[in-house]
Amino acid sequence: MKKLKTSLLVLVLTSSIAVTNAQQKKDTMKTKEIEGVVVTALGIKREEKSLSYANQTVKAKDLNLTQNVDVKNSIVGKVAGVQLNGQAGSKLGETGKLRLRGAVSLLNDADPIYVLDGVIVDPNTIDMDIVESVNVLKGPNATSLYGVRAQYGVIVMTTKKGSKSRLSIELNSTTTVDMVARTMKFQNLYGQGAAGNSSFKTFVFDPATMPAEWEIFNGKRHLDGDNNYTDESWGPRMDGQDYIPWYAWWKDSPYFGKTAKYEAQPNNVKDFYDKALTFKNTVSVSGGSDAFTARLSFTNLNQNGITPYTSLKRNYLNLNGTYKFNDRLSVDAIVNFSDGRVTGDFNDGYSNQTSGSFNQWFGRDLDMKKLKELQNLQTPEGYSASWNWWGPDDYSPTGYKAKPAFWINPYTWMKHFRNYTDRNTLLLSVAPSYRIADGLTARVSFSRTQNKSTNRYFMPNILAKNGSGTGSLTPGGYLTLLNGFGVRENQYTEDQYEGRLTYQKKFGEIDLTAIGGANITNRRWDGNSQVMDVTGTTQWLLTPDVFNFKNTNIPIIAKPYDYKQQYKSLYASASVGFKDTYFVEASVRNDINSAYLNSDNSFVSYSVGASLLLHNLLPKNDIVTYFKLRAGIAQIPADLTATLTNPEYRNGNQPLAVGNNLYQTAWFPTRIIGKGLKPALNDNKEIGVDLKFLKNRLSFGATYYDETRKNEPIPVTLASSSGKLDVLINSANAKRKGVELALSGDIFRSDNGFSWTTSINWARNKSTISKVNENLESIQYGDSNAFNYVSILQKEGLEWGQLYGTGIKRDINGNPVINSRGLYEYEPNKAFGSILPEFTGGFYNTFSYKGISLGFTIDFQKGGKFFSLSEQWGNSGGLLEETAAMNDRGHNVRDAVADGGGVRVTGVDNTGAPVDMYVEASDYFKQFHANRIAEPFIHNASYIKLREIAVNYQLPRSLFANTGISNMSIGLTARNPWLISVSKDNKHRLDPSELSQNFGEDGQLPSTRGFGVNVKINF
């Protein structure tokens, strides 16, 4: 990764030289097409030459290479300053977080807003097959017309439209197979247990305590005592000899009484996951007449998850059209609807029943094929037969030791634990426009977006009866499962009413565009949750599997909520051009935000900018065809949601019993809202240059920005004597600055021969916390994690998002301090660096020759930090390869130190004297959890990744003469086919672009790669 910067420079220079040496061909493109028209804030079309801020647009042919339904993955690597913290592909229905220009808020790291044809939408509801282009607006200079909601940027999507020229029909079908891309690197020498080779013993049948049928096992080898339920792999070395496996003890097993070979199962984790098929089929119809144009499309997505018993099924319907009543009056309308269901358990936190077991608590000898085959196997007592049982020596058919100890067969869990989320979304927009006079147009619009989801989960008795914790019939064990269920209903509705006047006029050499408008936005969040803690210890169903809230030992408390927020807004913008060379633009917006609980809730956003087309002042030449300088300043107040300031009374989880009566309880509000609370103000300065060379064959853009965020409201802790927890007051300051570069070129351009188009982008951002509070140096940010290994702090004077945790204590020379046992001394509250990368970028190419085309995207980042809990527990549990590696003495680290084994540790003791010794492997790898030392599991988040690739063949049109088919193409696609490089310390090759949490991961589901076939037919 150290050579990444140099490699990028070489690539840029190589591209430039290739363009210069390419065959010069007469360019018939009109100046208008060179300079371009783009869709900007509020869906307003602007000539690119008049913009005073950075602008990057990605067209349809480059957006949807692999027929995805995700706008975030579609633009990563193609736009400078874009970073995706995605979810693993195995986690269906979730796309992760998109960052533009890093982060600047101390408390929030939200996505930009996503806009489809002028309407703010949920990006997860949009099928990319309907999108014609995406324009990324990154800073306040570009987004000020959206006001307070645009503090994190705007992704502007424009849909494909119908054409009045002809009726066209398109069929688009893609079949993809997804599979596990990579797992942790496991050791394959030692199996389940805790005592090495002493974990085995010879079975002696005891008729007084054991079932009679177990006499068949007399004299055979099996795991001794606690080693049966020890869910670690510190057991015997796998020797290929016979032993009694977990599934042979039960008389209903087809393998009852049989032994198996004690040998490694190198691919057992990978074998758990399926090769899963996805079918995506789209049909679209478009066309129109002189008065009417429209496009209608329908997409069906049917996706099986790689995790057994998981799926995503969704339908998308989109209709957009324009009706022109006469030369003055026209109406634009959009309807976008989707509905579907996600089925399955996608928990990827600590100790979850799939990846949380395989990566953290598992046996390297376990045969996954047997687990799958025997997922319905039960013990004589009716409990699920598990690899993680208490063993024959502790077996008790009437107590908790007849049940699994910690883990149920993962196939059994996925089959019976029902969890599904139904979701439907609606976007409706109607916008009449009326041309009042030449150059003057009025437009009014109404839009509604509505997203509704219902999540239901059910813990059936067939699973719950295996629980051995409090609330079960046989309490005393570790596994807490209770028969129960829950329902969560959420709905978000947004209505927008808008009116706008647009005036465009040319006065001699002056071009004027002026816009003024008003907007009222009503937002509402409402829903209810009634849930039982099915992995808890207190609440269960009285009659098993009767999923009714009246059937509970403790009444269920409903938790309804209903929040509303309103914006009342006025806005205006103007752009003036002189001699098609000098441009000045300005915009202003005033938002009245109901989330502020005082009368001073009116806030102003503005931007002012200018651009100069220097090529118009230079002698005409074929070298520099376009040369624009641009600069601007802007300010946006930050939004504040209704939920942050709402002084709610929170319902208690259980009713209060007074005598024979039950009463609802509520918690008194614990936050004080500071008087005169105001939004944070984001001030930005931006300058840049845009160049086009060689008759538009090569393009280059560069932008520098410097943004400050002042007086952000943060919660400041109060003394307990106040009766409150904290007060929300304006306090914090931060800043970010950075550079964005984008280079693109047509290396070769030919209508019939070979063509090559390439683009590369690079962005560097640095976000710094300037101030937290007069009485605070830091404030915590981010996700909670198991065992509190790490936290994300915003600390004054340091970069945004510092990862803190317990580190290894070191002397002034950096040597680790080691105690008398050979274990590390530790240092709490150590800073490991920011979670944000130093720089990001992407490399996109398209090649074509006659009817064949190839496109691919590579994206990369350098720096940033992340923590892996799976790695910590994988080491502690003896699962990972480093726990069974060879040491420098030529022995396995698991061999006794006295026999040449052990882990070598070097450093100094507390007096500074050198230490060089060997430590027993189990002691070494288990020390980190004992002292919560996070340092060895914090890694650099650098990577280079081939994100997507597609090869298409356009069949000759002569094949379809007189068939009604205008063209047909067949393509091969691949998603995430190759994680090319990661940092050396990221030895298990976790994909830093697919981490489930801001801090890293707690029990990560695996990354996926997918390969598909696409067929597209046009009539």
Side-chain angles (χ1 to χ4, degrees):
M1 299 305 293
K2 292 181 179 179
K3 298 181 179 179
L4 195 51
K5 292 181 180 178
T6 305
S7 301
L8 294 178
L9 179 59
V10 171
L11 183 58
V12 170
L13 293 175
T14 303
S15 299
S16 302
I17 293 170
V19 171
T20 304
N21 293 332
Q23 290 183 341
Q24 296 294 315
K25 181 179 179 180
K26 185 176 180 180
D27 192 343
T28 59
M29 186 175 291
K30 298 177 181 179
T31 302
K32 187 79 168 180
E33 294 172 327
I34 291 176
E35 296 171 353
V37 174
V38 296
V39 179
T40 63
L42 302 179
I44 298 169
K45 292 183 178 180
R46 295 276 306 278
E47 288 185 295
E48 189 174 4
K49 64 186 180 184
S50 69
L51 300 178
S52 62
Y53 48 82
N55 170 77
Q56 277 187 270
T57 299
V58 186
K59 299 294 186 180
K61 65 181 179 64
D62 302 322
L63 276 173
N64 204 17
L65 279 185
T66 57
Q67 298 302 310
N68 213 326
V69 293
D70 174 17
V71 64
K72 300 179 185 181
N73 272 293
S74 297
I75 63 175
V76 172
K78 300 166 187 172
V79 178
V82 171
Q83 181 201 7
L84 177 63
N85 270 17
Q87 296 285 353
S90 49
K91 199 166 185 176
L92 302 182
E94 297 188 34
T95 55
K97 179 197 305 294
L98 195 73
R99 289 192 182 108
L100 304 181
R101 294 182 173 176
V104 70
S105 168
L106 273 71
L107 297 179
N108 209 333
D109 186 21
D111 266 40
I113 58 174
Y114 297 82
V115 178
L116 182 72
D117 285 349
V119 182
I120 297 175
V121 297
D122 180 341
N124 298 308
T125 68
I126 305 302
D127 175 17
M128 290 307 295
D129 198 57
I130 71 171
V131 177
E132 177 63 32
S133 66
V134 172
N135 191 14
V136 181
L137 308 179
K138 287 173 279 193
N141 302 71
T143 64
S144 60
L145 268 180
Y146 281 104
V148 297
R149 298 183 69 182
Q151 59 177 315
Y152 304 112
V154 182
I155 307 296
V156 178
M157 296 176 284
T158 304
T159 59
K160 299 174 181 176
K161 303 295 193 295
S163 172
K164 65 181 181 181
S165 60
R166 62 184 295 271
L167 177 68
S168 64
I169 300 173
E170 180 178 279
L171 303 178
N172 194 345
S173 179
T174 303
T175 300
T176 305
V177 58
D178 290 298
M179 60 197 73
V180 172
R182 68 197 64 83
T183 63
M184 307 288 281
K185 295 181 179 180
F186 299 106
Q187 60 86 9
N188 292 295
L189 295 175
Y190 299 88
Q192 182 187 351
N197 290 332
S198 298
S199 300
F200 271 144
K201 78 169 188 177
T202 301
F203 181 71
V204 177
F205 175 66
D206 182 356
T209 60
M210 298 177 180
E213 61 266 22
W214 285 1
E215 187 175 4
I216 195 175
F217 296 117
N218 243 338
K220 297 178 180 178
R221 187 171 66 158
H222 75 107
L223 285 174
D224 179 26
D226 294 348
N227 292 285
N228 287 274
Y229 75 85
T230 297
D231 45 357
E232 301 177 9
S233 286
W234 291 104
R237 190 178 183 105
M238 289 179 273
D239 55 10
Q241 301 302 306
D242 288 341
Y243 82 112
I244 308 170
W246 65 272
Y247 49 83
W249 296 92
W250 312 115
K251 61 183 180 181
D252 288 338
S253 169
Y255 304 99
F256 171 69
K258 301 177 181 179
T259 58
K261 300 298 182 183
Y262 188 59
E263 55 192 10
Q265 303 293 325
N267 296 314
N268 60 356
V269 171
K270 194 171 185 178
D271 287 345
F272 172 75
Y273 298 100
D274 295 331
K275 290 181 173 62
L277 288 175
T278 297
F279 302 97
K280 182 190 176 191
N281 294 288
T282 300
V283 57
S284 63
V285 181
S286 63
S289 63
D290 290 338
F292 175 73
T293 59
R295 185 179 189 273
L296 173 67
S297 71
F298 173 78
T299 297
N300 173 257
L301 178 67
N302 191 338
Q303 181 175 5
N304 291 321
I306 66 165
T307 305
Y309 303 105
T310 63
S311 65
L312 166 62
K313 301 180 187 299
R314 187 172 290 165
N315 296 310
Y316 302 85
L317 177 68
N318 177 262
L319 171 64
N320 67 70
T322 299
Y323 188 82
K324 187 177 180 181
F325 291 91
N326 51 50
D327 290 340
R328 292 183 177 273
L329 179 62
S330 64
V331 176
D332 296 323
I334 309 168
V335 177
N336 195 79
F337 176 79
S338 71
D339 76 327
R341 170 175 285 190
V342 178
T343 301
D345 177 17
F346 297 100
N347 179 15
D348 58 359
Y350 166 72
S351 198
N352 69 79
Q353 288 283 335
T354 56
S355 60
S357 170
F358 307 149
N359 296 346
Q360 300 170 0
W361 304 101
F362 205 55
R364 297 301 304 137
D365 57 298
L366 293 173
D367 186 342
M368 195 62 70
K369 296 182 180 64
K370 291 293 192 297
L371 285 165
K372 184 176 183 179
E373 178 188 357
L374 302 174
Q375 59 187 289
N376 296 320
L377 179 64
Q378 294 188 342
T379 69
E381 295 75 36
Y383 302 125
S384 176
S386 172
W387 64 271
N388 184 229
W389 70 306
W390 297 88
D393 300 316
D394 290 329
Y395 178 72
S396 172
T398 59
Y400 66 86
K401 291 188 176 181
K403 301 180 179 184
F406 298 99
W407 304 97
I408 291 175
N409 184 325
Y411 288 99
T412 307
W413 176 272
M414 294 303 299
K415 179 179 181 179
H416 293 289
F417 180 67
R418 290 186 290 152
N419 183 50
Y420 54 87
T421 300
D422 293 317
R423 187 177 189 188
N424 64 73
T425 67
L426 172 67
L427 180 157
L428 173 66
S429 174
V430 180
S433 298
Y434 185 77
R435 185 169 60 86
I436 300 171
D438 288 344
L440 181 62
T441 303
R443 181 182 186 271
V444 295
S445 65
F446 166 76
S447 67
R448 164 169 285 193
T449 55
Q450 182 172 290
N451 303 329
K452 183 177 182 180
S453 67
T454 302
N455 170 255
R456 296 179 175 88
Y457 62 89
F458 301 86
M459 178 71 75
N461 193 53
I462 194 172
L463 290 180
K465 67 183 180 181
N466 296 285
S468 54
T470 304
S472 69
L473 297 177
T474 54
Y478 302 108
L479 184 61
T480 56
L481 301 175
L482 294 175
N483 189 202
F485 72 116
V487 180
R488 299 183 181 95
E489 298 175 313
N490 302 284
Q491 181 168 288
Y492 172 73
T493 305
E494 179 173 320
D495 291 334
Q496 290 205 34
Y497 307 85
E498 185 165 294
R500 180 192 306 171
L501 285 174
T502 302
Y503 181 68
Q504 292 181 298
K505 195 71 174 180
K506 187 174 180 65
F507 302 93
E509 294 183 322
I510 298 176
D511 288 294
L512 172 65
T513 300
I515 298 170
N519 175 285
I520 296 177
T521 300
N522 295 321
R523 307 174 72 188
R524 180 177 181 179
W525 301 261
D526 65 283
N528 186 31
S529 64
Q530 292 179 268
V531 299
M532 302 175 67
D533 183 3
V534 295
T535 59
T537 59
T538 59
Q539 200 169 47
W540 58 87
L541 297 176
L542 297 172
T543 302
D545 289 346
V546 176
F547 297 107
N548 187 303
F549 288 122
K550 296 180 179 179
N551 181 37
T552 59
N553 66 318
I554 299 174
I556 301 296
I557 300 298
K559 295 184 178 180
Y561 67 90
D562 192 346
Y563 304 112
K564 296 179 181 179
Q565 185 175 15
Q566 184 181 71
Y567 306 94
K568 295 179 180 178
S569 308
L570 296 173
Y571 61 87
S573 71
S575 175
V576 180
F578 178 63
K579 290 187 176 182
D580 204 35
T581 300
Y582 309 93
F583 295 90
V584 177
E585 63 175 335
S587 66
V588 62
R589 179 173 177 127
N590 177 242
D591 291 305
I592 299 175
N593 187 349
S594 69
Y596 289 84
L597 305 180
N598 52 63
S599 59
D600 186 12
N601 60 355
S602 177
F603 311 112
V604 175
S605 308
Y606 69 82
S607 68
V608 179
S611 57
L612 170 63
L613 302 186
L614 279 177
H615 62 273
N616 288 336
L617 303 177
L618 301 173
K620 298 297 181 182
N621 63 86
D622 291 337
I623 302 299
V624 180
T625 52
Y626 185 81
F627 187 173
K628 182 174 79 169
L629 294 176
R630 48 184 167 78
I633 60 173
Q635 182 182 93
I636 290 184
D639 195 15
L640 194 67
T641 65
T643 56
L644 186 63
T645 58
N646 184 66
E648 61 177 333
Y649 289 80
R650 295 177 292 114
N651 290 337
N653 292 327
Q654 297 181 14
L656 174 66
V658 180
N660 295 324
N661 298 320
L662 297 175
Y663 297 93
Q664 172 70 64
T665 61
W667 296 97
F668 192 77
T670 57
R671 169 167 294 167
I672 297 175
I673 308 301
K675 293 182 179 180
L677 187 71
K678 296 182 181 296
L681 290 178
N682 289 44
D683 290 298
N684 190 56
K685 303 178 185 68
E686 184 174 307
I687 59 173
V689 60
D690 297 308
L691 297 164
K692 298 179 190 289
F693 303 95
L694 305 174
K695 297 182 179 180
N696 204 38
R697 296 288 292 276
L698 178 67
S699 300
F700 174 75
T703 300
Y704 171 79
Y705 59 89
D706 188 341
E707 183 176 349
T708 60
R709 185 178 178 93
K710 300 177 182 177
N711 290 322
E712 179 173 6
I714 64 170
V716 176
T717 302
L718 294 172
S720 57
S721 58
S722 67
K724 302 287 185 179
L725 293 179
D726 55 42
V727 57
L728 190 67
I729 57 174
N730 293 100
S731 175
N733 297 335
K735 60 183 177 181
R736 61 180 169 184
K737 58 179 64 178
V739 176
E740 297 166 348
L741 305 177
L743 173 68
S744 63
D746 294 335
I747 309 301
F748 297 97
R749 181 192 294 166
S750 173
D751 293 335
N752 300 311
F754 176 70
S755 296
W756 174 19
T757 300
T758 185
S759 67
I760 187 169
N761 65 80
W762 180 89
R764 183 186 184 99
N765 173 83
K766 185 173 183 179
S767 300
T768 306
I769 307 304
S770 307
K771 174 188 172 185
V772 179
N773 180 266
E774 288 80 0
N775 301 310
L776 294 174
E777 289 187 356
S778 64
I779 189 171
Q780 187 161 338
Y781 165 86
D783 317 297
S784 60
N785 58 93
F787 303 104
N788 296 313
Y789 267 93
V790 292
S791 59
I792 298 175
L793 296 182
Q794 310 292 15
K795 193 163 185 177
E796 186 173 315
L798 297 182
E799 285 191 63
W800 190 98
Q802 291 290 313
L803 198 59
Y804 270 77
T806 298
I808 296 171
K809 186 177 180 180
R810 299 177 185 274
D811 67 8
I812 58 174
N813 296 316
N815 298 307
V817 179
I818 300 170
N819 66 21
S820 59
R821 298 172 56 209
L823 306 180
Y824 295 122
E825 298 283 2
Y826 56 91
E827 176 187 343
N829 300 319
K830 186 175 181 179
F832 298 108
S834 171
I835 64 173
L836 294 182
E838 180 182 339
F839 65 77
T840 61
F843 182 40
Y844 177 67
N845 285 271
T846 56
F847 302 89
S848 63
Y849 180 72
K850 296 186 177 180
I852 301 175
S853 65
L854 165 68
F856 66 87
T857 305
I858 292 174
D859 63 288
F860 53 84
Q861 74 178 34
K862 182 179 185 299
K865 299 292 183 180
F866 73 92
F867 168 75
S868 172
L869 185 71
S870 290
E871 188 177 344
Q872 190 288 127
W873 280 118
N875 277 311
S876 181
L879 295 172
L880 302 183
E881 62 178 11
E882 49 264 47
T883 68
M886 301 298 288
N887 66 17
D888 61 340
R889 298 194 288 187
H891 290 265
N892 195 289
V893 294
R894 295 210 186 183
D895 293 342
V897 170
D899 297 330
V903 179
R904 184 182 183 184
V905 292
T906 60
V908 297
D909 63 17
N910 284 314
T911 69
V915 174
D916 189 344
M917 62 185 296
Y918 291 83
V919 179
E920 302 293 348
S922 179
D923 293 336
Y924 177 85
F925 287 106
K926 292 191 175 190
Q927 68 175 309
F928 302 107
H929 178 64
N931 296 314
R932 300 299 191 271
I933 299 176
E935 183 173 343
F937 317 110
I938 291 176
H939 303 301
N940 192 299
S942 301
Y943 73 89
I944 304 173
K945 177 178 182 176
L946 177 61
R947 185 170 291 273
E948 58 183 358
I949 185 170
V951 180
N952 285 283
Y953 176 59
Q954 192 82 32
L955 276 68
R957 294 189 178 185
S958 58
L959 295 176
F960 310 109
N962 303 317
T963 64
I965 297 176
S966 60
N967 59 69
M968 177 178 178
S969 65
I970 300 175
L972 301 176
T973 65
R975 298 176 190 160
N976 299 322
W978 185 18
L979 184 60
I980 300 170
S981 176
V982 296
S983 178
K984 287 184 179 180
D985 66 329
N986 182 7
K987 49 196 167 188
H988 291 281
R989 294 182 63 81
L990 290 167
D991 187 342
S993 72
E994 292 188 352
L995 296 173
S996 59
Q997 308 291 337
N998 282 309
F999 63 82
E1001 63 84 34
D1002 257 356
Q1004 186 87 27
L1005 289 168
S1007 298
T1008 62
R1009 59 169 59 101
F1011 301 92
V1013 178
N1014 171 252
V1015 178
K1016 188 181 295 185
I1017 304 174
N1018 293 91
F1019 298 90

